[in-house]
Amino acid sequence: MLNYMVERGAHLDAVFHALADPTRRSMLGRLAERELTIGELATPFHMSFAGASKHVRVLENAGLVKRTIRGRSHLCRLEAARLAEADAWLKRYERFWTANLDRLEALLREEDRAKAKSKSKSATE
Amino acid sequence: MLNYMVERGAHLDAVFHALADPTRRSMLGRLAERELTIGELATPFHMSFAGASKHVRVLENAGLVKRTIRGRSHLCRLEAARLAEADAWLKRYERFWTANLDRLEALLREEDRAKAKSKSKSATE
DNA sequence: CTAATTGTCAACCAATCGGTTTAACGTTTT
DNA sequence: AAAACGTTAAACCGATTGGTTGACAATTAG
């Protein structure tokens, strides 16, 4: 749906998909140190040039990499904004692994639910 | 490779893949509020029962959900440890969106690289 | 015992994935 | 003008994805 695309989550689909591949994560890792051309990005993996090029495009489409063409070589640089979005999404679950205070909070919510049995809730994704 | 599986990153593949689907993210969101059966997880989406079941399995295989069978219904609960791993991976890039101090750090690293031109580096993914 | 409920499994589908190869394109060098 | 370089495009491949259906197993309710 268009609403979904605009409102929220569309980026996350692409970003998480892009991150779900070790080759791509490795590329991002190298780009975190310096800007690299497609060729430089390709060399560490025993993979065809075109193969690496496709990985870069996935990263680009997810907004994780931006490319500037200079002459015949394409320079890639890391673009972190979308990573920040992914991080923000994960943060919503932070309390589940920071624990401790959680046990308490869980108990409180338990009490809350016991008291107010009437409400129905909407799944905010 | 087996080495890859054991060493690092194998989880991330599965976790990020699991998160790359809006249905699955939504399920996690609901599980963050309370434990739910497969059926309860399925209802919000106009999707077959078996379809939802497969999504849950993906989450389970990624270690994001744990299931306890009680009678004929399967209770699912959120398991956050793997989310923490994903968060830890993302944190390595945090400085790229917190910015500001970065410009400085980048300059410092630039100087460093200029001084020591001898070292080769390994891509730690 | 019989029904209905809760969920899985297996087969199947079209679409996408990660990867290859070969051909082409624009840029730089000679 | 020609050759070499850096990269993309297109066609293709097998594997996987998200989704369906229908049959089945197990627990629960009437």
Side-chain angles (χ1 to χ4, degrees):
Chain A
M1 252 136 190
L2 186 127
N3 198 10
Y4 169 67
M5 299 269 302
V6 174
E7 182 228 339
R8 191 191 298 100
H11 290 172
L12 291 174
D13 287 17
V15 169
F16 282 132
H17 168 70
L19 296 183
D21 182 284
T23 300
R24 252 123 51 187
R25 286 199 305 278
S26 175
M27 285 177 166
L28 287 181
R30 311 220 0 261
L31 286 175
E33 301 184 10
R34 68 192 94 82
E35 297 189 358
L36 292 168
T37 70
I38 308 278
E40 290 170 323
L41 278 173
T43 42
F45 317 100
H46 49 91
M47 177 189 310
S48 79
F49 209 93
S53 175
K54 281 166 86 173
H55 277 300
V56 173
R57 179 166 309 283
V58 171
L59 291 168
E60 210 178 357
N61 289 341
L64 296 172
V65 155
K66 203 188 145 205
R67 165 192 329 228
T68 59
I69 303 177
R70 209 180 12 157
R72 62 186 164 187
S73 51
H74 297 203
L75 249 197
C76 298
R77 77 161 185 277
L78 181 63
E79 187 76 19
R82 296 287 165 81
L83 283 181
E85 290 182 24
D87 187 65
W89 187 87
L90 277 178
K91 275 210 180 356
R92 298 170 53 197
Y93 299 86
E94 204 167 27
R95 57 192 175 89
F96 283 96
W97 67 78
T98 49
N100 286 354
L101 309 200
D102 281 64
R103 314 300 171 120
L104 174 59
E105 193 186 3
L107 283 179
L108 291 179
R109 268 184 295 123
E110 202 82 27
E111 289 177 13
D112 255 70
R113 212 184 320 149
K115 275 184 200 161
K117 264 207 176 79
S118 48
K119 266 186 177 163
S120 66
K121 61 267 308 179
S122 58
T124 15
E125 175 167 342
Chain B
M1 254 132 192
L2 186 127
N3 198 10
Y4 168 68
M5 299 268 303
V6 175
E7 181 226 340
R8 191 191 298 98
H11 290 173
L12 290 175
D13 287 16
V15 169
F16 282 132
H17 167 69
L19 295 183
D21 182 284
T23 300
R24 252 123 52 187
R25 285 199 306 276
S26 175
M27 285 178 167
L28 286 181
R30 312 220 359 261
L31 286 175
E33 301 183 10
R34 68 192 95 82
E35 297 190 358
L36 292 168
T37 69
I38 307 278
E40 291 170 322
L41 279 174
T43 42
F45 318 99
H46 48 92
M47 178 189 310
S48 78
F49 212 94
S53 175
K54 282 166 88 171
H55 277 300
V56 172
R57 179 167 311 283
V58 171
L59 291 168
E60 210 178 358
N61 289 340
L64 296 172
V65 155
K66 203 187 145 202
R67 164 191 330 226
T68 60
I69 303 177
R70 211 179 11 157
R72 64 184 164 187
S73 52
H74 297 202
L75 249 197
C76 299
R77 76 160 185 278
L78 180 62
E79 187 75 20
R82 296 287 165 81
L83 284 181
E85 290 182 23
D87 188 66
W89 187 88
L90 277 178
K91 272 206 181 1
R92 299 169 54 196
Y93 299 87
E94 204 167 28
R95 57 193 175 90
F96 282 96
W97 66 80
T98 49
N100 286 356
L101 309 200
D102 281 65
R103 314 300 170 119
L104 175 60
E105 193 186 3
L107 283 179
L108 292 179
R109 268 184 295 120
E110 202 81 29
E111 289 179 13
D112 255 68
R113 213 184 319 147
K115 276 183 200 161
K117 263 206 176 80
S118 49
K119 267 186 177 166
S120 65
K121 64 266 311 179
S122 57
T124 15
E125 178 167 344

